[in-house]
Amino acid sequence: TSTNSLMERLHLKYQQKPWSETLKLVHVCMDKPLQRPDSNAPDGPLLSCMEKIQRALHAKSLFSVMNRLESLSKQKGLKAHVSPSGTVCYITSSMFYVEVQLEKDGEVMDVKLAHLGEDPVVKLICSQLFLFGRMKNYDAFGKSLEDLSNLYQIPGNSEIQAKGYFALQTLEKDLYSMSLLDRTRHVNRVTEVLHGKVGHLVPRTGATPMNIEFYISPYQVLEAELNPDSQVCGTKAVVAVEGTDMLHKLPLSPLFVDSQAGEDGRPAFLPLTDELGMDLPAAFVLKFHQPIPMSSSSIEEIQRLTGIKKNHLIPGIQITGLKLAPLYELIVQATLQQKCGEDLSTHKSCFFVSLPDCPKHCYFINKGSEKSDLAGALVSKIPFSHPKCVPGVIEILRHQVAYNSLISSCVSEKHINEDDSELLYFEVVPHKNTSFSVFFLHPMKENLACVIIDVITSREVQCHLHLNPQDPTLNSSDDFITRAVKRCMSVPVVMRAIFRNAAKVKAES
């Protein structure tokens, strides 16, 4: 049947029916759950079309905005109720509700959020929900509803889910109390990020979970200093609670002991007893926006620190038991993903780096093998059950990210030399733990020279320059190289400094 004839038949069928019946039919169709229907299902195409129509239409009137909110709620598995006045939409679940207040012309007046047993939070605190509604950004608003629902993704009834939410609140209070230990009038954000026990902590507001910023590169620090209004963000972790298939004892009352310190100046905590905690099918997690390449030794260290047994790990989080790969291959893969925004072949080992006032560098990255001390895995989540684990985990993460940043500084999206200009060649070779070597040809001889960089912690680095005893000095002491690495955390920048000092020696001779 042609399209024209089909449209004529539809017109003939519905021309005698009042518009109210057509609206009723549309509402009946919209009441069906819109949860990515199977394309083979009979109503799949209809539901897909309804979703596309909702996205394409710009809801302006009160009626159309209400319809859009009701449809969006159903898509996210939530319920929607309209007040008798027709100007308030309540989006509800068994654990929370969102109240959207509208003007008669469809403009958003206010958005409030209330969790189970709590008073509604006004827009000043729940600003992201308010802005999503004001800007009519329904995709972002829907993401907020998903984030709110994810707070309660714990197996069990509503009572168990409420206990999981209370445990998350308790963890957040303890982490915030620990963050206050490092905060004084003279401590800025960068200092908190690099040195704070829990980094720079931003409390949860509405649908936005608590996040911890724990590492920032020297270049990002410089950018923040030059542009105070810029939103420079370092590496972050999101604090959440997720369901597990095993029980873990989680605190339901704060455990941090205020104004006291434990051994070695570490924060002191009350013991997690049955009175202060409860066995729940859940665990706390630190989640990363992008998976972090971590060495097997760092993973094992976190495993010992958190105390979560191998067979108790959250499905999909598995800190141990992951498929191991050469750590440098994972770092290259993650760096290319970040710089290029797409998955590129991890078989690339040669990268060209351009720096001002310097010949182009060519870096060969020796990715090593699956040996235990050179292997690693991509980690997206870290489970734990006690707030005392967080400072130690944060320090391990800082150490790993600092090491990764040095290796990634040698990686670029350029795999082919685009010109015939002079090149300086370097090979990056992994050593045990978090140390590596950079081999290069001596600027004045034909022998190899080597710089060994050992990242002891995120704040402590040791460097050693090794030359053939018969070769001329490069005028770069170990202390000079160490200070250069700390200042920039970039291998190419450090190697440029070494070659500049060597050029001065060559000119003088």
Side-chain angles (χ1 to χ4, degrees):
T1 305
S2 67
T3 303
N4 291 336
S5 62
L6 178 62
M7 294 303 297
E8 288 179 5
R9 290 170 58 187
L10 288 173
H11 280 301
L12 290 173
K13 182 176 181 180
Y14 289 101
Q15 66 180 353
Q16 303 299 329
K17 292 180 181 288
W19 183 246
S20 59
E21 289 191 20
T22 303
L23 284 178
K24 184 177 180 180
L25 177 61
V26 171
H27 277 290
V28 169
C29 294
M30 290 176 62
D31 281 337
K32 295 178 181 292
L34 299 178
Q35 298 178 352
R36 300 299 176 195
D38 184 359
S39 58
N40 296 324
D43 57 352
L46 174 62
L47 297 179
S48 178
C49 288
M50 291 297 299
E51 187 174 354
K52 291 179 180 178
I53 291 173
Q54 287 284 3
R55 289 178 175 273
L57 291 176
H58 296 287
K60 294 182 179 180
S61 67
L62 176 62
F63 179 77
S64 60
V65 172
M66 282 295 184
N67 281 342
R68 187 69 186 274
L69 290 174
E70 289 179 319
S71 175
L72 182 63
S73 303
K74 291 181 176 65
Q75 291 178 36
K76 305 305 178 183
L78 304 172
K79 298 179 180 179
H81 308 278
V82 180
S83 67
S85 65
T87 58
V88 181
C89 182
Y90 297 94
I91 302 172
T92 65
S93 75
S94 59
M95 307 306 298
F96 68 90
Y97 75 86
V98 176
E99 178 183 334
V100 183
Q101 298 178 0
L102 302 171
E103 299 275 10
K104 291 187 177 180
D105 61 358
E107 291 299 320
V108 178
M109 289 175 54
D110 202 353
V111 179
K112 296 181 180 180
L113 168 67
H115 291 278
L116 183 67
E118 297 180 357
D119 295 328
V121 180
V122 297
K123 66 184 181 185
L124 292 177
I125 300 176
C126 194
S127 58
Q128 72 280 13
L129 288 175
F130 174 73
L131 288 175
F132 293 159
R134 172 70 78 183
M135 298 167 59
K136 302 293 177 64
N137 187 337
Y138 291 98
D139 289 338
F141 189 77
K143 179 62 169 61
S144 288
L145 296 179
E146 287 183 9
D147 291 340
L148 287 170
S149 298
N150 289 338
L151 289 174
Y152 299 97
Q153 295 302 309
I154 299 172
N157 55 29
S158 58
E159 181 180 355
I160 295 297
Q161 291 176 346
K163 294 293 185 183
Y165 175 67
F166 295 153
L168 177 62
Q169 285 183 310
T170 298
L171 172 67
E172 292 171 342
K173 291 177 182 177
D174 279 339
L175 294 180
Y176 183 72
S177 298
M178 278 191 278
S179 71
L180 294 179
L181 294 176
D182 305 305
R183 290 187 180 178
T184 64
R185 289 194 316 174
H186 305 293
V187 174
N188 58 24
R189 166 176 156 259
V190 172
T191 302
E192 283 186 342
V193 170
L194 297 175
H195 301 277
K197 290 181 176 59
V198 291
H200 176 69
L201 185 144
V202 178
R204 175 169 55 88
T205 56
T208 303
M210 172 180 282
N211 66 79
I212 294 174
E213 187 179 7
F214 57 87
Y215 184 80
I216 187 168
S217 70
Y219 285 111
Q220 289 175 309
V221 173
L222 179 61
E223 184 180 351
E225 292 175 350
L226 296 177
N227 303 292
D229 297 330
S230 63
Q231 299 295 323
V232 179
C233 295
T235 307
K236 292 183 177 182
V238 171
V239 180
V241 62
E242 292 190 358
T244 66
D245 54 359
M246 301 293 293
L247 294 177
H248 300 98
K249 187 178 292 296
L250 300 182
L252 297 181
S253 295
L255 302 178
F256 178 72
V257 181
D258 192 18
S259 302
Q260 296 187 29
E263 298 178 1
D264 302 326
R266 298 177 181 176
F269 295 87
L270 296 173
L272 181 53
T273 61
D274 292 336
E275 290 75 19
L276 298 178
M278 179 179 180
D279 289 332
L280 294 171
F284 301 131
V285 291
L286 293 176
K287 300 194 295 184
F288 312 111
H289 297 294
Q290 298 292 335
I292 296 178
M294 299 193 69
S295 66
S296 56
S297 58
S298 294
I299 293 173
E300 292 171 0
E301 192 175 353
I302 289 178
Q303 185 76 63
R304 289 192 297 269
L305 187 63
T306 58
I308 300 287
K309 296 181 180 179
K310 293 181 181 180
N311 59 343
H312 287 194
L313 290 178
I314 301 173
I317 293 180
Q318 301 178 358
I319 296 300
T320 57
L322 289 175
K323 181 181 178 181
L324 294 179
L327 177 61
Y328 280 29
E329 181 175 322
L330 298 175
I331 295 175
V332 169
Q333 176 186 354
T335 304
L336 291 176
Q337 173 71 22
Q338 182 180 5
K339 290 184 177 182
C340 306
E342 58 184 3
D343 289 324
L344 298 177
S345 173
T346 57
H347 298 297
K348 302 291 184 182
S349 299
C350 177
F351 303 97
F352 296 92
V353 178
S354 299
L355 293 174
D357 305 322
C358 176
K360 186 178 294 185
H361 291 193
C362 178
Y363 287 90
F364 293 93
I365 297 184
N366 187 328
K367 298 175 182 177
S369 62
E370 285 83 0
K371 294 180 181 178
S372 59
D373 56 345
L374 300 178
L378 292 173
V379 177
S380 58
K381 301 178 184 180
I382 295 177
F384 62 100
S385 59
H386 197 292
K388 69 179 181 181
C389 301
V390 176
V393 170
I394 292 297
E395 197 57 38
I396 296 172
L397 290 172
R398 282 181 179 138
H399 188 189
Q400 184 69 62
V401 174
Y403 180 78
N404 293 356
S405 65
L406 281 170
I407 305 303
S408 63
S409 68
C410 304
V411 179
S412 75
E413 60 274 19
K414 296 180 180 179
H415 309 295
I416 302 175
N417 189 22
E418 299 173 350
D419 54 47
D420 297 326
S421 60
E422 182 183 357
L423 282 175
L424 298 178
Y425 292 92
F426 304 89
E427 182 179 8
V428 179
V429 181
H431 279 192
K432 62 179 181 179
N433 299 325
T434 51
S435 64
F436 64 96
S437 298
V438 181
F439 290 93
F440 57 97
L441 195 64
H442 193 287
M444 292 168 276
K445 294 290 182 178
E446 294 184 356
N447 293 325
L448 285 177
C450 171
V451 173
I452 296 179
I453 301 177
D454 186 7
V455 184
I456 300 173
T457 70
S458 62
R459 295 172 291 274
E460 185 179 358
V461 179
Q462 288 185 356
C463 301
H464 301 283
L465 174 63
H466 296 273
L467 303 173
N468 187 304
Q470 284 76 38
D471 289 346
T473 178
L474 297 182
N475 197 28
S476 294
S477 66
D478 292 349
D479 182 62
F480 168 81
I481 299 174
T482 298
R483 285 186 284 109
V485 170
K486 289 182 178 180
R487 189 179 301 117
C488 65
M489 294 300 286
S490 170
V491 171
V493 173
V494 172
M495 299 314 299
R496 180 180 64 178
I498 293 175
F499 270 76
R500 281 180 173 176
N501 287 351
K504 293 178 182 178
V505 174
K506 186 176 181 179
E508 293 174 355
S509 61

